[in-house]
Amino acid sequence: MTWKPFAALAGALGLYAILRSAGFYDFTAREAEGLSTLVQLVGSIYAVLLAFVIFVIWGQFTDVEDCVIRECNSLDDVLRFSRYLDADSYANIRRAIANYSSHVLRHEWGALGDGRSDPQAETIFLKFLASVVEATPRTDGEQRMHARLIDMAQKASERRDERVARSLTRIPPTLSALVQTIASMLLLLVFVHPFRYWYTGAAGFVLVAALLFLANFVMVDTDNPLKGVWNVSSAPFGAIKT
C-alpha cells in the first residue's frame, strides 16, 4: 500500500489549519450559500457519471469472466470428444491443450493484464488447431467425430479472440480524466466551504476525501479484469491444464 494518499491528506489538513488561522474562511463565509449550491451540483454530476462508469466497467468485467468460461468449456468439449479418435490423435490434442493452457496461465494472463497481447500464445493455440485438423480418422464414426471436433475447435478459436479483445478493453482515458477532474473539483469545494467549527470542516473534508479515493480505487481496479485486488479467476484454465 502506498503512503502518498495519506501524505497528501496530511498536507491538505495542514494547509486547512493555516488558512483557518489566517482568516481565509471568514472571506468564504460570505459565499456559503453559493458554495453549498456548487457542492450539491458538482456532487450530483459526479454521482451520475460515476454510476455510469462503474456500470460499464462492471459489464466489461463480467464479459471477460464469461469469455474465459466459454473458451475453457469449448476446450473441454474438444478434449472430451477427442477420446473417440485413435490413441495417438487423442494424445496429441490433449498435449496441445495442456501446453496452451499452461502458456495462458504463465504468460498471456499477465501480458493481457498489462495491456499487451501475447503473439506466442496465438502461435501455441494454432498448434492446438493443427492437432485437431491433422488428426487421421480411420473409421466412418471417427470421420464424423473429426468433423465435429473441427467445429468445436473453430468455436474455441472464436471465443479465444473474444476473450483477448475484451481483456484488452479499458475505460477511455478522457472519460477517466473527466471523472477524476469532477472528483477533484468536489473535494476542492468541500475544502473551501466555510464550516462553523474547524473540527467539523476537517472531519467533513477527510470523509469526502476517503469516499472519493475509494470510489476512484474501485473504478481503476475493476477496469483491469486480470490484475488488481478483485479480478477474473484463471481457475478454468488451471482445470483444463490438469
Side-chain angles (χ1 to χ4, degrees), residues 73-174:
N73 285 342
S74 295
L75 293 173
D76 186 58
D77 288 341
V78 173
L79 185 61
R80 181 182 297 113
F81 286 97
S82 64
R83 295 175 182 270
Y84 296 96
L85 299 179
D86 62 278
D88 290 339
S89 297
Y90 169 66
N92 291 336
I93 294 174
R94 181 179 180 182
R95 187 182 307 111
I97 291 178
N99 290 339
Y100 170 67
S101 301
S102 178
H103 185 85
V104 169
L105 291 172
R106 294 181 180 179
H107 303 287
E108 187 184 39
W109 199 268
L112 294 176
D114 293 333
R116 299 179 288 103
S117 59
D118 186 358
Q120 184 64 22
E122 181 67 21
T123 300
I124 295 176
F125 185 80
L126 290 177
K127 292 182 179 179
F128 152 69
L129 294 179
S131 69
V132 175
V133 174
E134 295 172 0
T136 306
R138 297 174 299 181
T139 64
D140 291 340
E142 290 184 0
Q143 181 69 39
R144 290 191 295 270
M145 182 56 65
H146 183 237
R148 186 174 180 183
L149 284 172
I150 292 177
D151 292 338
M152 293 178 183
Q154 181 181 2
K155 180 63 68 175
S157 178
E158 294 172 357
R159 291 175 173 175
R160 166 182 161 73
D161 292 341
E162 184 180 9
R163 173 181 64 84
V164 172
R166 293 189 179 275
S167 296
L168 292 173
T169 301
R170 299 288 185 271
I171 181 175
T174 51

Side-chain angles (χ1 to χ4, degrees), residues 23-104:
F24 173 77
Y25 290 95
D26 294 335
F27 170 76
T28 58
R30 303 171 187 172
E31 301 295 339
E33 184 176 352
L35 288 173
S36 298
T37 302
L38 284 176
V39 169
Q40 294 178 5
L41 177 61
V42 175
S44 299
I45 295 174
Y46 177 76
V48 173
L49 186 59
L50 180 66
F52 168 75
V53 171
I54 293 297
F55 175 78
V56 173
I57 290 177
W58 183 249
Q60 173 66 21
F61 186 96
T62 56
D63 283 345
V64 173
E65 190 172 38
D66 291 341
C67 288
V68 170
I69 294 174
R70 289 197 296 267
E71 180 183 354
C72 288
N73 285 342
S74 295
L75 293 173
D76 186 58
D77 288 341
V78 173
L79 185 61
R80 181 182 297 113
F81 286 97
S82 64
R83 295 175 182 270
Y84 296 96
L85 299 179
D86 62 278
D88 290 339
S89 297
Y90 169 66
N92 291 336
I93 294 174
R94 181 179 180 182
R95 187 182 307 111
I97 291 178
N99 290 339
Y100 170 67
S101 301
S102 178
H103 185 85
V104 169

